[in-house]
Amino acid sequence: APPPPPPPPPSEASIRKCTEGNLMFSLMIGAEIWLVTRSEYVTHGSVALTRTLQERLRDEYGTRHPYVIPVGGSNGCGTWGYIGCVDEIFSQTTNTVTDVVVATGSGGTAAGLAIGLHLHPTAQENRTKLTCYCVCDDEEYFYTHAYETFVEMGAHASLLGVADDTPAEEGWKRVRDSGIMEVRQAKGLGYAVSRPADIRFVSDVAMRTGLIFDPVYTGKALRAFCDDVKKDPEAWAPRVGGTSSGTSTTVVFVHTGGAHSVSASAVQMAKDAWF
C-alpha cells in the first residue's frame, strides 16, 4: 500500500511535549514540522515518507524544488564531508594516527571516513584502521550501507575490486572482509535506550574532561571502545612496522556531536548526581 500523506502540523499541546534535541532547534528556526507515528515510520520507512512529502510540496506550491536529506545525511553527497574530515585529522595531528574510532547510527560518517582513509597517503602508510561502533541495527546493515554508498559514488571498484553488477548481499561481505572498516556492536539494550551505567559513564567523562558525550550515540561508542581497550590492549598496540613518524600509536575518536540529546536523559542524570 502507498504510504499515507503527511499529517497536518502538530498541535500546540503536542509541540510542548517535543521541545527537545533536534526538534527544538528546528522549531527555533521556524521549520515546518510534519510528524509521523512510530508505526508509520516502521511500515513505510523514511525514504517513502519523505518522497511523499516532497511530492506534496511540489503539488501545493508548484515553484518549489524540495531536496530530501536522508536520515543522518547519509548518502553520496553527505559522505564527502567525512572524506574531507580525514584531511583535517592528519593536518591537525602528528603522523602517528593508526586508529580512527567513531560512532555510527546511519552509516554516512563511517562510509566517508573509510573512503578518506583509503585515499590518504599517510593513512595508507600507517595502515590506519577504522573502527565503527554501531548504536542501532546490526553489523550487516552498516556494511551494506557502506557498500551501497561506495557504489553510488563510483568508488566500489577501486575500494573493493568488485564489478558494477555485484549484488548487495555479496558486496557487504566484501566490505567486511576487506578490512577497510570494522563495525562493532555498541547499542546495548537498544537504540536510544540507556542503562544507568551508560548515564554514569557520560557524566564521569564530562566531570573528568569537560567533554560532553551523549548516551545515545557518542557516549555508547566511547564506552564500548574503552571497554575493548581494557579487554585487549594489545589489539590497539602500534601497527607492525611502525608509522611514518616511528612506532607511537595515536587513536583519534571522532566526536560527531549529539550533545542536544543529553536533555532526554536529564532526569536520570540529575538522580545520579544528587541522590
Side-chain angles (χ1 to χ4, degrees), residues 161-173:
V162 297
D164 291 344
D165 58 354
T166 302
E169 56 267 25
E170 175 64 25
W172 79 263
K173 295 177 183 177

Side-chain angles (χ1 to χ4, degrees), residues 18-169:
C18 301
T19 52
E20 294 181 347
N22 284 332
L23 182 56
M24 179 184 69
F25 293 123
S26 297
L27 292 171
M28 286 176 64
I29 63 173
E32 295 181 41
I33 308 296
W34 295 85
L35 298 178
V36 296
T37 65
R38 181 184 296 272
S39 62
E40 287 171 336
Y41 189 89
V42 171
T43 301
H44 303 290
S46 64
V47 174
L49 290 168
T50 51
R51 186 180 296 120
T52 298
L53 179 56
Q54 183 183 39
E55 293 170 355
R56 180 166 180 166
L57 289 171
R58 286 197 188 113
D59 293 341
E60 289 185 357
Y61 296 96
T63 58
R64 295 177 70 169
H65 302 282
Y67 177 79
V68 174
I69 300 175
V71 173
S74 295
N75 60 7
C77 181
T79 297
W80 283 104
Y82 278 96
I83 295 176
C85 176
V86 173
D87 281 332
E88 292 186 32
I89 288 173
F90 283 96
S91 68
Q92 297 176 22
T93 63
T94 64
N95 289 335
T96 60
V97 176
T98 55
D99 291 271
V100 174
V101 179
V102 70
T104 185
S106 58
T109 298
L113 289 173
I115 295 174
L117 291 171
H118 177 78
L119 296 175
H120 199 281
T122 305
Q124 287 297 295
E125 183 177 352
N126 292 356
R127 286 174 286 186
T128 303
K129 180 182 177 181
L130 174 63
T131 304
C132 311
Y133 287 92
C134 60
V135 299
C136 57
D137 298 294
D138 57 18
E139 293 88 336
E140 180 180 340
Y141 171 86
F142 290 100
Y143 286 126
T144 300
H145 184 277
Y147 177 71
E148 291 173 346
T149 302
F150 298 161
V151 172
E152 181 184 353
M153 301 185 72
H156 54 293
S158 62
L159 289 172
L160 305 171
V162 297
D164 291 344
D165 58 354
T166 302
E169 56 267 25

